[in-house]
Amino acid sequence: MKFVEELVVEEFLPTFRSMLAERLRERDLTQSEVASILGISQSAVSKYAHGGVARNEAVLNDDRVRELADELADGLATGDLTPVGALVEVEILIRRLERGDLLARLHEEAVPGLAENSGYDVHDPDGALRAAERTRSSVRRGLRTLETTSGFAGLIPNVGSNLVECTPDADGIDDVAGVPGRIFDVKGRTTVPGDPEFGVSGHVASVLLAARQNGSDARAALNLRYDAELRDRLGSLGLETVEFDGETDTESAIASVAVAEADVLYQTGAMGIEPITYLLAPDAETAAEHVRDLL
């Protein structure tokens, strides 16, 4: 009797770890950095990267395995992806390969009696953890674009900016990832105080959720300063701009305007209320790219 988990441990993981270690080293990470990311020793990294570990040829040559190794290496090397996010993606691939696929075939070779019972599903690829990690990764990519976009600091309002994105089935602020403490202009430099977290944005998250509740399919939002020239420049990018009442509470004001097709919501200010612009987008990365195109 041999369990598929034994094949994962004995055949898949050594092969995949060696592939990932190779790719991380190719992206100029040190053995120490690779060891920290993979949670293994430096000597193990050396073995993985220099062919010191036996590899399963079927796993090694599977296009999906190769593509995932490349994707994870890119994300881990840039910091867009955490080891937890990488772990989730590998687990998802393993579960898929167990269901009437590569690992199921290897399992059937080891236990021939399984051949007539292949194709069972043991994992949900649309789980909440995966959705959350993908959302945080998108926000990280968007933030990196903003940090490297010359002139973005000049678009940050006095209250600070935040770039947020919600999970596909978000129903509250805890389902929205953003920057803790907001993004600020510090002597002309865009400053992001921390890694994206869920539940840390009250205002921008509430604007995004209100827009979604009133017909928008946007999953991301970014607040910017407001002036008429900026509004017109956003419009020149082909973005639909809609004004709402700045003197009414934000959620009620958004509910009173046509937001279903809006890409930009703005209010021109009131007594004690700073005029502000909210850029809506399908994801955080797209919102940041709009800003880059704007400048």
Side-chain angles (χ1 to χ4, degrees):
M1 183 169 60
K2 194 176 188 73
F3 293 98
V4 69
E5 287 80 4
E6 294 177 77
L7 289 171
V8 171
V9 171
E10 297 168 3
E11 303 289 340
F12 182 89
L13 290 180
T15 303
F16 189 82
R17 278 202 182 106
S18 71
M19 296 169 69
L20 190 52
E22 278 182 342
R23 285 156 171 77
L24 289 170
R25 291 288 283 139
E26 289 169 357
R27 287 156 177 78
D28 297 324
L29 272 70
T30 65
Q31 283 193 5
S32 175
E33 290 170 331
V34 175
S36 177
I37 288 171
L38 298 183
I40 58 178
S41 67
Q42 290 190 48
S43 62
V45 172
S46 180
K47 288 181 180 179
Y48 281 132
H50 295 92
V53 174
R55 306 204 288 190
N56 182 289
E57 289 297 319
V59 175
L60 185 65
N61 294 320
D62 187 280
D63 288 340
R64 295 158 300 177
V65 176
R66 296 168 69 87
E67 289 170 4
L68 182 61
D70 286 330
E71 178 184 332
L72 297 189
D74 286 338
L76 291 167
T78 60
D80 288 341
L81 185 68
T82 66
V84 170
L87 174 65
V88 171
E89 295 300 324
V90 177
E91 288 280 6
I92 293 297
L93 179 60
I94 289 171
R95 301 307 168 227
R96 286 177 174 167
L97 296 181
E98 287 176 346
R99 183 174 179 261
D101 210 310
L102 174 63
L103 288 172
R105 291 195 296 272
L106 294 175
H107 202 195
E108 289 164 8
E109 291 174 8
V111 185
L114 289 171
E116 60 189 77
N117 298 301
S118 61
Y120 53 89
D121 190 1
V122 296
H123 199 276
D124 177 10
D126 299 316
L129 178 58
R130 187 187 195 197
E133 285 296 327
R134 286 191 161 189
T135 298
R136 279 160 49 95
S137 183
S138 176
V139 176
R140 288 190 194 96
R141 291 193 296 271
L143 289 171
R144 190 169 71 248
T145 296
L146 294 179
E147 288 178 299
T148 58
T149 297
S150 177
F152 171 67
L155 298 181
I156 298 175
N158 292 330
V159 295
S161 285
N162 211 329
L163 176 63
V164 305
E165 182 173 324
C166 68
T167 56
D169 299 320
D171 59 12
I173 287 174
D174 287 342
D175 299 316
V176 184
V179 177
R182 300 187 185 181
I183 307 166
F184 286 101
D185 171 7
V186 178
K187 297 182 178 179
R189 182 174 181 177
T190 300
T191 302
V192 179
D195 198 48
E197 298 176 19
F198 282 90
V200 296
S201 171
H203 185 64
V204 182
S206 67
V207 169
L208 174 61
L209 293 171
R212 287 172 59 82
Q213 289 166 4
N214 288 280
S216 173
D217 60 2
R219 283 186 52 200
L222 169 67
N223 64 319
L224 308 168
R225 67 171 173 79
Y226 170 80
D227 62 45
E229 180 185 358
L230 176 61
R231 177 201 63 204
D232 293 343
R233 286 161 59 198
L234 287 166
S236 71
L237 294 178
L239 302 177
E240 185 69 27
T241 62
V242 175
E243 182 177 7
F244 66 93
D245 185 357
E247 296 190 70
T248 308
D249 74 273
T250 304
E251 293 186 23
S252 298
I254 289 176
S256 69
V257 298
V259 299
E261 303 300 324
D263 302 299
V264 178
L265 299 172
Y266 69 92
Q267 52 91 359
T268 57
M271 182 67 68
I273 299 175
E274 182 182 9
I276 205 157
T277 303
Y278 299 95
L279 179 59
L280 304 178
D283 52 64
E285 195 169 10
T286 300
E289 287 171 353
H290 285 325
V291 171
R292 184 184 60 199
D293 294 342
L294 182 68
L295 297 170

